[in-house]
Amino acid sequence: MDYQSTRSKIKTDPVNAVLQGLSPDGGLFVDPAIDSISFDWRSCLKKNTQDMAVMILSTLLPDFKDMESLVKQAYSGKFESEDLTPVVKVGNYHILELFRGPTSAFKDVALSMLPRLVTAARTQTGMKKEITILTATSGDTGKAALEGFKDVPGTRIIVFFPDSGVSLVQQMQMTTQEGANVCVCAVKGNFDDCQRGVKQAFSELRETLKDRPYTLSSANSINIGRLAPQVVYYFAAYRDMIADGTIKEGDRVDYCVPTGNFGDILAGFYAKLMGLPVGKLICASNANNVLTDFINTGKYDRKRPFYKTDSPSMDILVSSNLERLLFLACGKDESKVASWMNSLNETGEFTVDEKTLSYIRDSFEAGFCDQKETEEAISKCWNENHYLCDPHTAVAYSVADKRKNSNPVVVLSTASPYKFPQAVLRALGEKEEGNGFEQMKRLNKISGVRIPENLRTLEGKTIRFKESIDSDKIVPYVLSKLN
Ligand SMILES: *Cc1c(COP(=O)(O)O)cnc(C)c1O
């Protein structure tokens, strides 16, 4: 089986696609035959979540050996429960809780699995070099990546975060990280400064590291090894809704997804292509509603104000994984995708043709909500159902609630409310004062909802990483760690 770039005829096998991350032409790797893939989805629904993961990942990444043990290493004992992603019935909706992993972020689902795939790919290709993961983070990704790569043989991870850009809790999560192969460093500046420095490291160090025993890689969501594990929970939620009597096998279910980089919702589309009876995938955005406009009109236009919202992981104007959908939607015409991406780069916009748009609208719908509606959703969900949701989940809840629903709807929940206690307190009309830990405790007192263990015990942990550097020192910093 071959993966292909979305922008040219470059091909590679899944193992090398995982090792490379991005295609050399700047495109993303896709399986061009995913829409005719043969997959026994009915028997998949009979399995527990980890066995589902084995079956789904073996189908999407068939040349990986012993997927069963990779899945076990990734997930066993790491999540709050062995079914990884529980579904909770809340009012008219089913909320799919994706935040029950080691860092209380939905990114744990993928970033627990990716390191296992990377090391397996390294072994299978006979690569001798150590893989060094460089990550710039605005919050959640850094911690989830650190936890995923912690003490994974043959890898090392260096995370850079902006000293003025992450919350106290997020900073503590990273600077107290355990593990012998991890390194965390603050950068003076904002997230863009961090990201620029990391990109510079990738381009400048390629030559330098050629003859040294290290190779650089990234953990971001353009890697197919991060996308594939996310297909699993769409099946798991469907299975659980059969079990609780909401649906019968074959009934259609809609999924409403709080969207940023379009990875989460694209995994839902892959589930649909693999046979799962998905009705509509509802793309929920916050005030940064570029995807809402695109799905409703066919014109993607990033030339618009950028809003900093209470759902920061969705504050994105260019959603990279959309490119994978575009490739399938336009009839797998890589030159078309390349020209759209080129236009986006040069003019800040592109417009797809009628046929491409209608392919997308067959499976996708889109909506957005503003700050006030997000807060209303948090308080409504609490007052009516006694369920506490975080601001990202609230965006999806609000979008689902504004819609005429005919099928049962699953709302994907991407973070624990305790990761954003200030916004949740404000939405509930409570006092916001104090630091993140004080806010967590107040929220716990008011709601009685348990604080996840990893966040509850964070305050007393020893800070291991205290370095802070200028953003133009990222390259020498990385080099100094590779000795
Ligand atoms: C990353 C993230 C999202 C967005 O997911 P995408 O796959 O980038 O669309 C939504 N909510 C939270 C809390 C996240 O961390």
Side-chain angles (χ1 to χ4, degrees):
M1 175 208 212
D2 268 338
Y3 268 68
Q4 190 202 315
S5 166
T6 47
R7 297 192 195 178
S8 76
K9 296 267 189 226
I10 290 179
K11 288 192 168 66
T12 192
D13 53 59
V15 162
N16 278 293
V18 166
L19 274 183
Q20 288 177 52
L22 197 66
S23 169
D25 56 14
L28 277 60
F29 285 119
V30 283
D31 168 13
I34 188 158
D35 51 357
S36 55
I37 207 161
S38 136
F39 185 70
D40 185 357
W41 61 274
R42 288 177 193 274
S43 77
C44 186
L45 290 173
K46 308 253 176 330
K47 295 178 183 288
N48 68 36
T49 306
Q50 289 200 34
D51 291 340
M52 276 184 167
V54 175
M55 185 172 173
I56 291 166
L57 288 167
S58 307
T59 304
L60 293 174
L61 306 167
D63 54 350
F64 279 82
K65 297 188 186 116
D66 201 7
M67 192 58 88
E68 195 170 341
S69 91
L70 297 180
V71 166
K72 224 184 226 132
Q73 289 167 30
Y75 293 125
S76 285
K78 304 265 177 71
F79 281 60
E80 284 180 36
S81 67
E82 290 306 293
D83 68 347
L84 310 183
T85 51
V87 169
V88 186
K89 190 152 177 15
V90 175
N92 295 326
Y93 304 102
H94 282 73
I95 293 194
L96 172 55
E97 297 187 334
L98 303 177
F99 58 83
R100 298 290 181 189
T103 80
S104 302
F106 121 84
K107 294 190 169 57
D108 287 329
V109 178
L111 283 168
S112 299
M113 194 65 218
L114 178 69
R116 304 299 162 179
L117 295 172
V118 168
T119 41
R122 179 175 171 266
T123 309
Q124 279 183 223
T125 56
M127 183 191 252
K128 293 284 185 300
K129 293 184 172 217
E130 181 187 275
I131 295 174
T132 302
I133 304 291
L134 296 188
T135 302
T137 184
S138 56
D140 278 4
T141 305
K143 175 61 184 180
L146 285 163
E147 198 59 40
F149 279 95
K150 171 182 83 180
D151 294 330
V152 172
T155 73
R156 170 193 315 236
I157 174 164
I158 308 175
V159 169
F160 296 97
F161 69 88
D163 64 352
S164 59
V166 303
S167 73
L168 171 71
V169 172
Q170 286 175 321
Q171 177 164 344
M172 284 284 287
Q173 276 192 304
M174 290 188 273
T175 54
T176 60
Q177 176 67 44
E178 291 160 14
N181 65 337
V182 305
C183 178
V184 176
C185 182
V187 172
K188 298 189 179 87
N190 58 28
F191 174 64
D192 289 330
D193 299 320
C194 268
Q195 188 147 44
R196 202 171 322 114
V198 166
K199 281 191 177 154
Q200 199 186 353
F202 275 113
S203 67
E204 285 182 20
L205 296 181
R206 186 162 301 150
E207 273 304 303
T208 321
L209 294 181
K210 225 172 184 169
D211 304 316
R212 315 241 326 249
Y214 308 102
T215 181
L216 300 181
S217 186
S218 105
N220 66 25
S221 73
I222 50 179
N223 194 313
I224 188 66
R226 233 187 100 172
L227 192 61
Q230 298 184 235
V231 175
V232 177
Y233 46 73
Y234 285 88
F235 283 86
Y238 192 93
R239 172 203 61 202
D240 292 350
M241 288 167 77
I242 296 175
D244 78 8
T246 306
I247 52 167
K248 294 189 305 298
E249 188 179 295
D251 291 349
R252 301 238 162 235
V253 170
D254 298 339
Y255 292 79
C256 188
V257 188
T259 297
N261 230 345
F262 211 74
D264 197 359
I265 196 167
L266 184 72
F269 187 56
Y270 282 8
K272 182 174 186 175
L273 295 176
M274 293 170 83
L276 189 71
V278 175
K280 287 282 194 231
L281 293 156
I282 307 150
C283 174
S285 299
N286 61 26
N288 297 295
N289 58 358
V290 58
L291 285 167
T292 317
D293 289 347
F294 173 67
I295 290 170
N296 288 330
T297 68
K299 179 178 178 188
Y300 195 102
D301 187 354
R302 70 162 159 80
K303 304 184 302 303
R304 59 178 72 212
F306 175 80
Y307 299 104
K308 271 183 137 33
T309 73
D310 278 339
S311 40
S313 297
M314 299 160 70
D315 292 345
I316 286 181
L317 291 181
V318 176
S319 299
S320 4
N321 272 298
L322 181 66
E323 187 169 339
R324 287 193 162 106
L325 175 63
L326 291 174
F327 178 81
L328 293 171
C330 74
K332 306 171 192 174
D333 182 346
E334 59 282 337
S335 63
K336 242 184 196 170
V337 177
S339 82
W340 289 329
M341 291 303 117
N342 199 33
S343 161
L344 182 62
N345 220 356
E346 283 172 4
T347 69
E349 61 171 83
F350 65 90
T351 303
V352 299
D353 50 90
E354 210 48 55
K355 236 171 118 182
T356 302
L357 183 60
S358 97
Y359 178 100
I360 293 172
R361 291 174 58 93
D362 258 359
S363 299
F364 291 84
E365 255 179 55
F368 76 102
C369 77
D370 62 20
Q371 177 82 8
K372 188 165 152 279
E373 291 170 306
T374 309
E375 289 181 7
E376 281 167 4
I378 294 174
S379 91
K380 180 175 177 214
C381 196
W382 175 250
N383 292 331
E384 290 181 2
N385 310 302
H386 240 66
Y387 185 85
L388 207 53
C389 63
D390 98 290
H392 302 77
T393 310
V395 168
Y397 188 90
S398 170
V399 166
D401 224 28
K402 282 195 275 189
R403 173 179 181 262
K404 260 204 169 37
N405 297 309
S406 44
N407 298 325
V409 179
V410 176
V411 172
L412 276 67
S413 176
T414 48
S416 159
Y418 285 106
K419 291 205 89 169
F420 303 92
Q422 184 173 13
V424 176
L425 284 168
R426 187 187 333 118
L428 299 181
E430 301 287 343
K431 287 200 208 74
E432 297 170 49
E433 69 215 18
N435 71 28
F437 294 105
E438 289 159 350
Q439 291 160 358
M440 248 186 234
K441 285 174 208 157
R442 188 162 338 111
L443 186 56
N444 169 254
K445 210 163 166 190
I446 291 160
S447 69
V449 175
R450 205 175 47 79
I451 304 176
E453 190 68 7
N454 76 85
L455 297 175
R456 200 178 54 76
T457 54
L458 191 56
E459 206 176 355
K461 283 205 172 144
T462 312
I463 294 180
R464 288 183 66 200
F465 302 99
K466 294 179 179 161
E467 271 177 293
S468 175
I469 61 171
D470 288 320
S471 62
D472 60 358
K473 295 290 184 304
I474 288 183
V475 177
Y477 181 89
V478 171
L479 265 180
S480 76
K481 295 289 166 191
L482 298 182
N483 277 313

